[in-house]
Amino acid sequence: MTTFSMVRSVQAGVFFAGLLSVFACVNKPVVSGPLLALAEESGSVCEVDESVTTRSAAYSANVELTASVALPGRAAVDVVMSSRGAIAAVNTENSALLHWVNPATGEINQTVELSSQVSDVAFDGASRLAIATEDRLIFVDIATGEETDRIRLAGVNRVAITPDGHVAAIAGNIVHLFAPDGREVFTKQRDYTGVTDVEVRSCGEQQLVYVTSFRNATFTAINNRRNPVQIGRLEAMDFSGDVQWSLFGDRAERIKQNVADTRLYRVTLGRDGYLYIAGESAGTA
């Protein structure tokens, strides 16, 4: 069995009313209590809510478990919130299950089996899921649970989709962008140790693909010894595949001392219009 869990923070802003996670476990009992909604329906990834920056203290509060629902399956993968509630993806031995869960009661309303295991799920904010499976992207209608389309893509492990149907994906260290009709817009190799996540924004003329990554490098310390270091990076590419801006990722030659390994793992657009990234730093940066 797999447990679908909810932890609650004191922040009740536009993007998250809590943090949602799924855990793999065996025979975990159900904890009573409603699962909280994650996003305000009135929010938009295309409209920046500037008031969010005045509430920064609320984003660092401790969290506590409020509810937990046991789901059939072996290993939890991902969960998205939709107009039909939470949709959780769970891998089984050789396939995967999608569970539609009522956020208010924890009741499983629908389950759909997929033919292969999945590594990521994205929601377009309206009616479709984009799912990264072992060798293809598949698209599922959230109302019926039926597959509506697919794109073959060997090695795909991350996916993102916009409300207008643009799809970005990562396969190995290659970033792919597809148009709403499935046509490939660009393919770009990234020269990093690990390319970890992708997000895509298509808001009128504001069209960007965001990519998180890290690379292994070495730097010369003040004692003239070469030391290893990992350097995280966030970059934004336009729809031709050209990098428009980047954050972090300083050249190793600029590093002298007091450094830490950094990795960026995840990137997502919030319904407050801001870009959120997650990563880690080992030591002092």
Side-chain angles (χ1 to χ4, degrees):
M1 298 291 286
T2 295
T3 299
F4 170 89
S5 302
M6 187 71 182
V7 288
R8 179 176 58 197
S9 74
V10 298
Q11 188 250 337
V14 175
F15 184 39
F16 285 124
L19 302 173
L20 188 64
S21 57
V22 285
F23 304 93
C25 69
V26 178
N27 296 328
K28 177 73 175 180
V30 174
V31 178
S32 62
L35 299 176
L36 305 181
L38 291 191
E40 296 289 346
E41 291 297 327
S42 60
S44 170
V45 297
C46 292
E47 299 177 6
V48 173
D49 179 3
E50 295 183 357
S51 68
V52 170
T53 59
T54 67
R55 301 195 300 266
S56 59
Y59 286 81
S60 61
N62 291 330
V63 295
E64 58 185 30
L65 182 69
T66 60
S68 176
V69 178
L71 298 176
R74 183 173 182 180
V77 176
D78 202 357
V79 61
V80 297
M81 295 300 293
S82 74
S83 58
R84 294 198 61 211
I87 303 176
V90 182
N91 282 335
T92 61
E93 187 70 31
N94 297 304
S95 61
L97 300 172
L98 294 178
H99 299 290
W100 277 250
V101 182
N102 186 325
T105 65
E107 179 184 1
I108 300 174
N109 295 326
Q110 181 180 357
T111 296
V112 172
E113 184 172 8
L114 305 177
S115 60
S116 59
Q117 294 188 335
V118 306
S119 57
D120 193 22
V121 179
F123 178 49
D124 69 359
S127 62
R128 285 202 306 166
L129 300 176
I131 302 174
T133 70
E134 295 169 346
D135 62 353
R136 69 193 64 187
L137 296 169
I138 66 172
F139 301 90
V140 173
D141 188 312
I142 67 166
T144 64
E146 296 180 354
E147 181 180 329
T148 60
D149 204 355
R150 62 175 56 187
I151 298 173
R152 285 197 170 273
L153 188 59
V156 61
N157 66 333
R158 301 296 299 173
V159 63
I161 185 170
T162 66
D164 67 5
H166 285 88
V167 177
I170 292 174
N173 278 20
I174 301 176
V175 180
H176 301 262
L177 179 66
F178 299 93
D181 61 4
R183 173 181 52 86
E184 189 163 70
V185 178
F186 75 70
T187 298
K188 288 288 183 177
Q189 175 83 35
R190 311 313 300 147
D191 187 23
Y192 306 124
T193 303
V195 180
T196 54
D197 201 12
V198 66
E199 177 63 287
V200 58
R201 175 188 178 100
S202 181
C203 302
E205 296 182 355
Q206 300 178 18
Q207 294 183 314
L208 291 171
V209 176
Y210 306 97
V211 179
T212 53
S213 63
F214 66 91
R215 63 185 177 91
N216 295 333
T218 61
F219 70 98
T220 303
I222 55 178
N223 58 5
N224 290 322
R225 295 181 58 182
R226 298 293 296 179
N227 292 332
V229 65
Q230 289 185 328
I231 304 174
R233 180 178 173 87
L234 168 69
E235 58 188 11
M237 309 163 68
D238 62 23
F239 276 22
S240 66
D242 295 328
V243 176
Q244 297 303 298
W245 56 262
S246 64
L247 290 176
F248 318 113
D250 282 343
R251 293 169 57 88
E253 292 76 11
R254 297 176 56 184
I255 300 173
K256 296 301 181 183
Q257 61 179 338
N258 196 32
V259 300
D261 289 337
T262 58
R263 294 187 181 191
L264 295 183
Y265 291 127
R266 294 292 180 260
V267 57
T268 191
L269 279 166
R271 284 204 175 187
D272 53 12
Y274 284 92
L275 191 68
Y276 290 80
I277 59 174
E280 66 178 359
S281 174
T284 304

